[in-house]
Amino acid sequence: MVGAAISESSGEGIGSNSILSQKRQLSSSDGAKRDAKKRSIMLMELEILDCPICYEAFTIPIFQCDNGHLACSSCCPKLNNKCPACASPVGHNRCRAMESVLESILVPCPNAKLGCTKKFSYGKESTHEKECIFSQCSCPALDCNYTCSYKDLYRHYHTTHLEALLFAVQCFQEPYGVYVTVSCIAPSAPEVGNFSYDLSYTVDGQTMTYKSPKMKMILEVSFQTPQENFMLIPNNLLRGDMLDMKLLIKELKQE
């Protein structure tokens, strides 16, 4: 269509339009090359932004030795500030170029296909994933591998397992006694809300109580003994294999 329009113009117009057309074609070609270059940058192996020592995502500051070998700030003291590749000192000179590259790279949320539109600097997307409203939660029921959003998981759990709330109460037998903890299966997003809980255990007329200031939000039930936010019932207060406890869950008001 462009060629036909040019051929119908006057002789002077043909020359000027032809030059203009060539310029446009060159400009379009240059633009396509720039777009392709941008795409190639976006499609580059993001592993180059990981520390070559611990293989974790780089975070600022990034250090380099005299020979240009990189190391993250966590690895330098573990290596006694000695480069494992060439034995040169490392941990004193910042690699500003790599830090600039790191700040310029934006990656989409791991839940982009599920509807999240947010982007983050490389290495920070995993932090957001714990708070992302689109994060997938795993059903805590035994032998159930169902995963979905926390809203759909409530519906699934109520329909399939005949329970209305998704609060995981776990007990861990340890040498000193039993650790009891309660978690809410949902992302730590404002839309979900925050909860606290009170636990009480009575045996031989004695009552133990534990008040949690804030319940832990999880996407999947963990079977590792908790390091915080738990109630410890010592062995001398255990009676049999069952614990008769009272649990009160309260929703915290938004500040």
Side-chain angles (χ1 to χ4, degrees):
M1 295 294 292
V2 174
I6 293 175
S7 63
E8 292 176 359
S9 302
S10 63
E12 183 179 356
I14 292 174
S16 60
N17 285 336
S18 297
I19 294 172
L20 180 60
S21 176
Q22 291 174 7
K23 288 183 177 179
R24 285 175 176 170
Q25 290 175 1
L26 289 173
S27 177
S28 176
S29 176
D30 291 343
K33 289 180 180 178
R34 284 195 297 270
D35 291 342
K37 186 176 181 180
K38 289 180 180 179
R39 285 195 296 271
S40 67
I41 292 174
M42 292 303 295
L43 293 175
M44 73 178 181
E45 294 293 337
L46 291 178
E47 285 79 4
I48 67 171
L49 300 179
D50 294 342
C51 174
I53 301 168
C54 65
Y55 302 108
E56 295 292 332
F58 270 129
T59 56
I60 296 175
I62 302 172
F63 295 97
Q64 64 179 356
C65 72
D66 293 340
N67 291 316
H69 300 125
L70 302 178
C72 70
S73 57
S74 298
C75 284
C76 291
K78 296 177 183 178
L79 298 168
N80 294 321
N81 297 100
K82 186 176 181 180
C83 177
C86 65
S88 298
V90 66
H92 308 291
N93 298 323
R94 298 266 295 269
C95 184
R96 305 287 183 178
M98 181 57 80
E99 290 179 359
S100 297
V101 171
L102 188 67
E103 290 178 331
S104 67
I105 299 295
L106 295 178
V107 295
C109 171
N111 298 316
K113 292 183 179 180
L114 300 175
C116 186
T117 58
K118 294 184 178 180
K119 295 183 178 181
F120 305 88
S121 297
Y122 181 70
K124 295 183 178 179
E125 67 276 10
S126 58
T127 301
H128 161 74
E129 188 177 11
K130 297 177 182 178
E131 305 173 351
C132 180
I133 200 69
F134 295 95
S135 291
Q136 300 293 281
C137 300
S138 299
C139 179
L142 294 176
D143 301 323
C144 184
N145 298 320
Y146 190 80
T147 59
C148 60
S149 70
Y150 84 96
K151 291 182 179 179
D152 292 337
L153 191 59
Y154 288 146
R155 190 179 303 112
H156 158 80
Y157 203 71
H158 177 63
T159 303
T160 307
H161 307 292
L162 305 179
E163 294 288 347
L165 296 176
L166 271 179
F167 295 101
V169 182
Q170 295 177 277
C171 299
F172 300 86
Q173 182 73 54
E174 296 295 331
Y176 297 105
V178 174
Y179 290 65
V180 184
T181 185
V182 183
S183 304
C184 178
I185 304 178
S188 54
E191 295 90 331
V192 179
N194 293 310
F195 304 89
S196 66
Y197 67 90
D198 296 348
L199 275 173
S200 63
Y201 172 69
T202 301
V203 61
D204 300 336
Q206 301 181 57
T207 300
M208 294 180 57
T209 60
Y210 174 79
K211 296 181 179 292
S212 169
K214 187 176 181 180
M215 187 181 299
K216 186 177 181 181
M217 313 295 283
I218 60 175
L219 300 179
E220 184 176 358
V221 172
S222 171
F223 295 97
Q224 295 183 347
T225 302
Q227 302 299 314
E228 58 183 3
N229 204 5
F230 62 85
M231 178 180 185
L232 172 61
I233 302 176
N235 287 324
N236 65 319
L237 294 181
L238 296 176
R239 300 292 184 268
D241 297 329
M242 298 296 294
L243 290 175
D244 186 10
M245 306 187 70
K246 291 183 179 180
L247 170 63
L248 174 63
I249 296 176
K250 297 177 289 186
E251 184 173 7
L252 300 176
K253 294 182 179 180
Q254 298 282 350
E255 296 182 357

